[in-house]
């Protein structure tokens, strides 16, 4: 019989982020498929007590809490100690957590402390005859496998954007758990946005707009038009609310002159970049090579604009490839969006 | 000026331009023609190595070790190119550690290798590696290794680590929404799982290459074999997604019409 612990971090305001609420749904659904499974929540943070309410109605027996000032911000030493205490107090055999930066930072280390096993970035959970399995991707989203383990506790982190977020109803009883939090040599100073200041990465946007190196290349007139490219792209982001991704080639141009000033490595999509989740993606001036398109695994609808009819997108990677000049197309798109 | 002892852990992965196909053999899951596929140092571990090299050069007296668990012959091939890019002392573990191996088991093999390093000063230790591999992509191996080595300060998704004259480091870690969390680490030891970092790939330096290879060849020869048996990870299936789409290639459509199609498509729910 499994005891499932959902491990989440309270936000600074005492709420729970969307990935945590999605993981709550995953935990509830899994518990429903396992006869006699016990479901508990473990919440840590400076406002852990307030966060419990967001999990009410998901079938949790109770919420275990580690609440302390020093957990206001993500930091390995203190977060790991809090998680370890929650796992120990719960007696969990399965520990589920959202694959956020905060939980991913500590989950594997905590699994080692608890003499358990860990698998991360699961995109589905299932159970057959009482045996739990998880689906995850290998080789940067190139292949998908189904994993299971005998060892307990088994820690699994869940990819954001897969499950529907839980909507709270009713109450959830909570119980504080003592956790000795260690001294740390790390002082968290705060968050920093990329120097350009423009907030271009929007994980919740329905549309991903990808800029490729073509935006900075010489065009038919023999000249590069980087400032026009910047104006068109930022104009489109402003009007559409899309999130901005880039190919490796375009983000690597940073600092070499003639680069798109608002792009950083954080925008990079692909093998050595991110694998964002959006309903649709529009690639422009990007060749669609495999190390780039592996980052599109979780983008459902895909269209591309490229001058080259033989680019990678034409090889079964996009639904539609428009063989056209992205400068002209995006200028017109912006006009149409402006109404 | 602070002195660091940087241990960089990095495995080998297939060149990302290769086509990969899973196959099940007597020893479990692997890749088709795995031993023939050209390999590279795992890209995020390579960022870690270049950052380590730069940190060591800026802080004289510092040392860099590269610990790699990989098939010996492959490692030798990869070193031919890699050795010219950064100065390091190699510690090799002869093991087949691909995408379907277990992170904790791999971490144990690495821990034994790190523990065997003569002259490693734990009070100066910065344990580097990629925050996720291009094979398992779990973000677990390094963290478990850190735990095994008793390193209580860990950072993941690191893009920058700037040392201060007093030996403290300002560290930038990737967090959601395209931002960085900024932390001040007062002193090593610490673990840093690197993302892209901020350095371009260094140019080849044949002199560094020659020096590296002089110590790397004996290290390869005495690489301890380590048999990874799967660490209790059961894989009931591995498959390639059905990813080919029926691409509609639209040629000779006026830009105005292309734009209209795109705008309509964006508006569709
Ligand atoms: C280890 C490794 C890791 C990698 N990781 C990544 C990764 O994470 N992400 C990634 O993206 N790549 C990655 N790559 C690189 C990848 O292989 C490609 O080199 C890269 O994606 C190419 O970027 P691009 O398509 O923007 O540029 P290019 O290949 O230069 O293509 C530019 C495109 O722009 C088009 N173009 C030019 N002008 C116009 C116009 N006016 N209108 C329309 N189209 C136009 C051209 O036809 C061309 O197709 C990796 C490679 C390696 C070896």
């Amino acid at each position: 019989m499994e005891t499932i612990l959902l491990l989440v971090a309270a936000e600074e305001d005492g709420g729970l982020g969307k990935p945590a609420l999605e993981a709550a749904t995953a935990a509830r659904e899994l518990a429903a498929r396992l006869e006699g499974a016990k479901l508990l929540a473990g919440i840590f943070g400076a406002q852990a007590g307030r966060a419990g309410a967001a999990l009410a109605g998901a079938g949790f027996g109770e919420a275990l809490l580690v609440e302390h000032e020093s957990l206001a911000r993500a930091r390995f030493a203190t977060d790991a100690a809090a998680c370890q205490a929650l796992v120990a107090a719960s007696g969990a055999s399965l520990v589920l957590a959202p694959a956020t930066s905060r939980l991913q930072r500590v989950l594997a280390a905590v699994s080692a402390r608890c003499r358990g096993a860990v698998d991360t970035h699961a995109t589905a959970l299932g159970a057959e005859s009482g045996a739990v399995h998880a689906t995850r991707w290998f080789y940067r989203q190139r292949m998908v496998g189904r994993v299971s383990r005998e060892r307990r506790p088994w820690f699994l982190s869940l990819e954001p954007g897969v499950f529907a977020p839980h909507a709270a109803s009713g109450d959830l009883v909570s119980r504080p758990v003592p956790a000795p939090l260690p001294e740390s040599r790390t002082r968290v100073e705060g968050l920093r946005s990329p120097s350009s200041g423009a907030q271009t990465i929007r994980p919740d946007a329905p549309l991903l707009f990808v800029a490729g190196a073509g935006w900075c290349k010489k065009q038919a007139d023999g000249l590069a038009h980087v400032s026009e490219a910047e104006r068109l792209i930022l104009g489109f982001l402003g009007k559409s609310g899309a999130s901005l991704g880039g190919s490796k080639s375009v983000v690597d141009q940073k600092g070499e002159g003639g680069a798109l000033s608002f792009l950083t490595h954080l925008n990079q999509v692909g093998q050595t970049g991110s694998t964002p989740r959006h309903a649709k993606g529009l690639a422009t001036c990007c060749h669609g090579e495999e190390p780039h398109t592996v980052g599109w695994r979780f983008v459902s609808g895909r269209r591309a604009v490229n001058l080259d009819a033989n680019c990678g997108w034409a090889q079964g990677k996009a639904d539609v490839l428009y063989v056209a000049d992205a400068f002209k197309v995006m200028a017109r798109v912006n006009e149409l969006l402006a109404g | 000026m602070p002195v660091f002892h940087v241990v960089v852990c990095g495995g080998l992965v297939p060149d990302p331009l290769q086509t990969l196909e899973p196959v099940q053999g007597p020893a479990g899951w692997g890749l088709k023609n795995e031993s023939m596929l050209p390999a590279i140092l795992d890209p995020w571990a390579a960022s870690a190595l270049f950052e380590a090299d730069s940190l060591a050069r800026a802080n004289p007296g510092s040392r860099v070790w590269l610990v790699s668990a990989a098939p010996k012959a492959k490692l030798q091939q990869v070193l031919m190119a890699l050795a010219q890019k950064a100065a390091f002392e190699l510690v090799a573990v002869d093991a087949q550690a691909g995408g379907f191996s277990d992170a904790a088991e791999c971490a144990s093999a690495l821990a034994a290798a790190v523990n065997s390093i003569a002259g490693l000063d734990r009070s100066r230790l910065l344990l580097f590696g990629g925050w996720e591999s291009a094979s398992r992509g779990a973000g677990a191996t390094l963290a478990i290794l850190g735990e095994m080595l008793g390193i209580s300060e860990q950072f993941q998704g690191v893009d920058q680590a700037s040392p201060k004259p007093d030996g403290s480091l300002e560290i930038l870690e990737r967090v959601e929404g395209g931002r960085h969390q900024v932390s001040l680490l007062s002193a090593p030891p610490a673990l840093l799982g690197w993302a892209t970092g901020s350095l371009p790939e260094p140019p080849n330096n044949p002199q560094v290459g020659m020096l590296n290879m002089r110590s790397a060849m004996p290290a390869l020869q005495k690489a301890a074999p380590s048999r990874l048996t799967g660490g209790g990870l059961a894989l009931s299936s591995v498959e390639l997604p059905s990813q080919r789409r029926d691409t509609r290639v639209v040629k000779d459509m006026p830009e105005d019409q292309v734009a209209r199609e795109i705008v309509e498509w964006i508006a569709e729910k």
Side-chain angles (χ1 to χ4, degrees):
Chain A
M1 210 173 67
E2 304 279 10
T3 297
I4 303 173
L5 175 73
L6 171 75
L7 198 53
V8 293
E11 303 285 311
E12 277 192 74
D13 64 0
L16 286 182
K18 195 158 159 257
L21 298 173
E22 293 168 2
T25 301
R28 174 174 54 76
E29 289 177 359
L30 181 65
R33 302 181 69 165
L34 290 165
E35 219 181 291
K38 195 169 150 196
L39 185 57
L40 299 166
I43 311 174
F44 64 100
Q47 304 273 352
R50 282 176 57 194
L55 296 177
F60 293 100
E62 63 176 340
L64 308 177
L65 308 174
V66 174
E67 185 171 282
H68 195 274
E69 191 78 332
S70 66
L71 297 167
R73 286 173 171 167
R75 177 175 58 175
F76 177 83
T78 31
D79 283 2
C83 290
Q84 187 183 3
L86 288 167
V87 175
S90 70
S93 58
L94 278 174
V95 180
L96 305 181
T100 55
S101 61
R102 187 164 191 179
L103 269 304
Q104 274 290 121
R105 189 186 289 106
V106 297
L107 205 65
V110 176
S111 81
R113 284 184 196 180
C114 300
R115 305 200 169 281
V118 65
D119 289 288
T120 57
H121 300 299
T123 53
L125 298 175
E128 267 160 40
S129 317
V132 179
H133 56 78
T135 301
R136 73 181 302 279
W137 291 75
F138 295 87
Y139 289 96
R140 299 292 294 158
Q141 283 60 255
R142 279 183 167 80
M143 53 195 84
V144 63
R146 183 188 267 198
V147 302
S148 58
R149 292 185 185 262
E150 299 273 316
R151 194 177 185 116
R152 296 291 184 270
W154 185 17
F155 290 69
L156 281 160
S157 73
L158 307 172
E159 270 298 281
V162 178
F163 300 91
H166 172 68
S169 64
D171 295 317
L172 177 61
V173 271
S174 57
R175 171 163 64 95
V177 164
L181 299 180
E183 292 288 312
S184 171
R185 281 176 280 117
T186 301
R187 194 177 73 225
V188 178
E189 315 259 80
L191 297 176
R192 191 178 291 172
S193 292
S195 48
S196 70
Q199 191 57 38
T200 57
I201 299 175
R202 301 164 181 156
D204 291 330
L207 179 68
L208 170 72
F209 177 86
V210 163
W215 282 108
C216 305
K217 294 207 164 148
K218 285 183 185 160
Q219 296 298 310
D221 59 1
L223 300 170
H225 297 272
V226 178
S227 22
E228 192 188 343
E230 290 192 330
R231 193 176 50 73
L232 287 172
I233 294 168
L234 288 180
F236 177 72
L237 296 181
K239 291 184 183 73
S240 66
S243 185
L244 178 64
S247 68
K248 182 172 189 299
S249 297
V250 77
V251 304
D252 278 353
Q253 286 179 3
K254 194 132 185 68
E256 290 168 16
L260 299 173
S261 58
F262 44 81
L263 275 174
T264 74
H265 280 115
L266 299 177
N267 294 95
Q268 186 182 321
V269 170
Q271 174 84 26
T272 42
S274 63
T275 310
R277 228 167 243 280
H278 298 276
K280 295 174 200 172
L282 178 64
T284 52
C285 300
C286 164
H287 204 73
E289 280 191 36
E290 188 69 6
H292 175 71
T293 54
V294 292
W296 283 65
R297 177 67 64 216
F298 306 126
V299 177
S300 315
R302 305 178 188 174
R303 297 197 178 194
V305 182
N306 198 305
L307 286 171
D308 182 355
N310 295 313
C311 69
W313 298 107
Q315 330 292 326
K317 290 182 175 164
D319 303 314
V320 184
L321 166 65
Y322 298 104
V323 182
D325 184 336
F327 281 85
K328 293 186 182 144
V329 170
M330 292 315 293
R332 188 68 191 118
V333 165
N334 283 348
E335 281 171 16
L336 291 168
L337 288 176
Chain B
M1 195 72 86
V3 169
F4 301 108
H5 279 187
V6 193
V7 174
V8 183
C9 296
L12 304 187
V13 294
D15 183 317
L17 293 166
Q18 298 293 317
T19 304
L20 307 182
E21 201 180 310
V23 285
Q24 197 171 20
W29 286 93
L31 298 175
K32 192 170 171 187
N33 298 328
E34 189 152 3
S35 60
M36 314 285 284
L37 289 171
I40 58 167
L41 181 66
D42 207 321
W44 276 316
S47 313
L49 179 63
F50 304 150
E51 295 282 347
D53 181 55
S54 154
L55 190 67
R57 275 188 287 116
N59 295 278
S62 298
R63 292 172 74 177
V64 177
W65 289 267
L66 173 65
V67 179
S68 190
K72 234 193 231 193
K74 265 226 158 129
L75 191 53
Q76 187 172 344
Q77 278 169 19
V78 170
L79 281 175
M80 292 299 178
L82 186 68
Q84 303 207 24
K85 305 252 173 225
F88 55 81
E89 299 167 56
L90 179 72
V91 182
V93 181
D94 190 12
Q96 179 70 43
F100 307 116
S101 52
D102 176 56
E105 199 182 25
C106 189
S108 294
L110 294 174
V114 175
N115 284 327
S116 76
I117 298 176
L120 178 64
D121 180 345
R122 295 292 179 106
S123 69
R124 302 181 189 283
L125 173 62
L126 293 177
L127 183 69
F128 279 18
W131 68 322
E132 284 186 356
S133 69
S135 49
R136 277 187 298 280
T141 311
L142 203 62
I144 297 173
L145 173 60
E147 203 53 36
M148 288 171 171
L149 298 174
I151 300 176
S152 63
E153 313 297 312
Q154 297 199 8
F155 303 86
Q156 296 291 349
V158 176
D159 271 332
Q160 203 175 303
S162 321
K164 314 247 175 231
D166 65 355
S168 65
L169 289 122
E170 187 193 65
I171 296 173
L172 265 61
E173 289 170 281
R174 289 187 180 186
V175 295
E176 284 72 15
R179 289 183 300 175
H180 284 113
Q181 174 163 297
V182 186
S183 300
L184 194 71
L185 169 74
S186 62
L191 177 156
L192 281 76
W194 283 86
T196 308
S198 49
L199 300 172
E201 184 168 320
N204 285 342
N205 181 334
Q207 267 165 326
V208 170
M210 255 149 55
L211 260 172
N212 274 341
M213 289 314 273
R214 212 173 290 161
S215 68
M217 290 316 282
L220 272 172
Q221 264 147 23
K222 65 172 194 232
S226 181
R227 220 176 93 72
L228 305 183
T229 55
L233 173 70
L235 275 150
S236 60
S237 70
V238 185
E239 54 199 35
L240 293 174
S242 47
Q243 59 185 1
R244 261 198 94 78
R245 291 164 187 240
D246 208 1
T247 308
R248 174 163 68 96
V249 180
V250 180
K251 290 183 200 169
D252 304 322
M253 187 188 265
E255 282 95 12
D256 176 61
Q257 207 180 328
V258 172
R260 281 179 196 280
E261 271 203 30
I262 290 174
V263 169
E264 270 171 36
W265 169 69
I266 292 172
E268 275 168 24
K269 287 277 170 241

